Amino acid sequence: MANHSQFGFQDASSPIMEELVEFHDHALMVALAICSLVLYLLTLMLMEKLSSNTVDAQEVELIWTILPAIVLILLALPSLQILYMMDEIDEPDLTLKAIGHQWYWSYEYTDFKDLTFDSYMIPTTELPPGHFRLLEVDHRVVVPMESPIRIIVTADDVLHSWAVPSLGVKTDAIPGRLNQTSFITTRPGIFYGQCSEICGANHSYMPIVVESTPLTHFESWSTLLSS
């Protein structure tokens, strides 16, 4: 999860988030190179005396027309690749349905017969020591590690958004519509998120907690909860 005074992203815990972080760093390096070049040219024009060669040069005009097009291509190609990867859902091992309410989440494990529960934020007065305020819930979403997970997102009342930054997942929950996305957790851990769509007075009080566990632990948990 995010720390105080953190400038970068949260540690990536899914392949998609790793790609997003790499693309972010790639785009920043391109922006740094552009800013450095523009600053150098501005300094040069202020320091040097302009001549007819500087004012009227077809070669220079050709370069500053073609170069931005090349830069845009270098940014567009990896961006499109990541967009297609985020939309790709290929034979998931587990399907999870998340339903947004004012102001809590309901979850249904559609591959199991009776595995559904509501997830409410734990009030600060009832929060156990060592847990995070406004982020901990009474029932976590437990998923198996290194398994493709498909999540179907919808809402029961108003617009919500199911978002977990470290997994690179953010999907709008719209009443009467089913949106879907997928993710794979690359390591065990607990990943925190929140509703990312303003949905009313208690919008900031409907957190999301995803717990990634080995497959054997997930099977034991699902058997215990559904029994």
Side-chain angles (χ1 to χ4, degrees), residues 6 20 37 52 69 80 93 99 111 120 145 153 163 191 195 204 214:
Q6 179 175 334
L20 290 172
L37 178 61
S52 59
L80 290 174
D93 293 342
I99 305 172
D111 298 294
Y120 290 87
M145 181 182 63
V153 183
F191 312 112
C195 175
S204 58

Side-chain angles (χ1 to χ4, degrees), residues 83-103:
L83 283 175
Y84 279 107
M85 290 174 60
M86 293 176 69
D87 286 336
E88 186 70 24
I89 300 176
D90 185 22
E91 297 181 0
D93 293 342
L94 179 69
T95 299
L96 175 67
K97 185 177 181 181
I99 305 172
H101 307 271
Q102 289 184 311
W103 288 272

Side-chain angles (χ1 to χ4, degrees), residues 63 65-76:
I63 291 174
T65 301
I66 295 177
L67 190 60
I70 297 175
V71 172
L72 290 177
I73 292 174
L74 292 176
L75 290 175

Side-chain angles (χ1 to χ4, degrees), residues 168-186:
V169 177
K170 183 181 183 297
T171 305
D172 289 340
I174 303 172
R177 177 174 176 176
L178 296 177
N179 290 332
Q180 66 175 355
T181 187
S182 64
F183 62 88
I184 301 175
T185 57
T186 55

Side-chain angles (χ1 to χ4, degrees), residues 108-185:
E108 301 177 5
Y109 287 76
T110 59
D111 298 294
F112 297 85
K113 186 177 181 181
D114 293 312
L115 187 50
T116 62
F117 55 84
D118 297 330
S119 181
Y120 290 87
M121 186 196 74
I122 299 178
T124 305
T125 55
E126 303 175 8
L127 195 66
H131 288 240
F132 297 107
R133 176 179 172 269
L134 302 182
L135 287 177
E136 196 57 68
V137 295
D138 56 356
H139 292 93
R140 294 173 175 174
V141 177
V142 181
V143 297
M145 181 182 63
E146 296 180 342
S147 298
I149 309 297
R150 174 175 59 186
I151 178 165
I152 300 173
V153 183
T154 186
D156 185 54
D157 36 44
V158 298
L159 292 177
H160 300 278
S161 184
W162 201 86
V164 182
S166 58
L167 299 179
V169 177
K170 183 181 183 297
T171 305
D172 289 340
I174 303 172
R177 177 174 176 176
L178 296 177
N179 290 332
Q180 66 175 355
T181 187
S182 64
F183 62 88
I184 301 175
T185 57

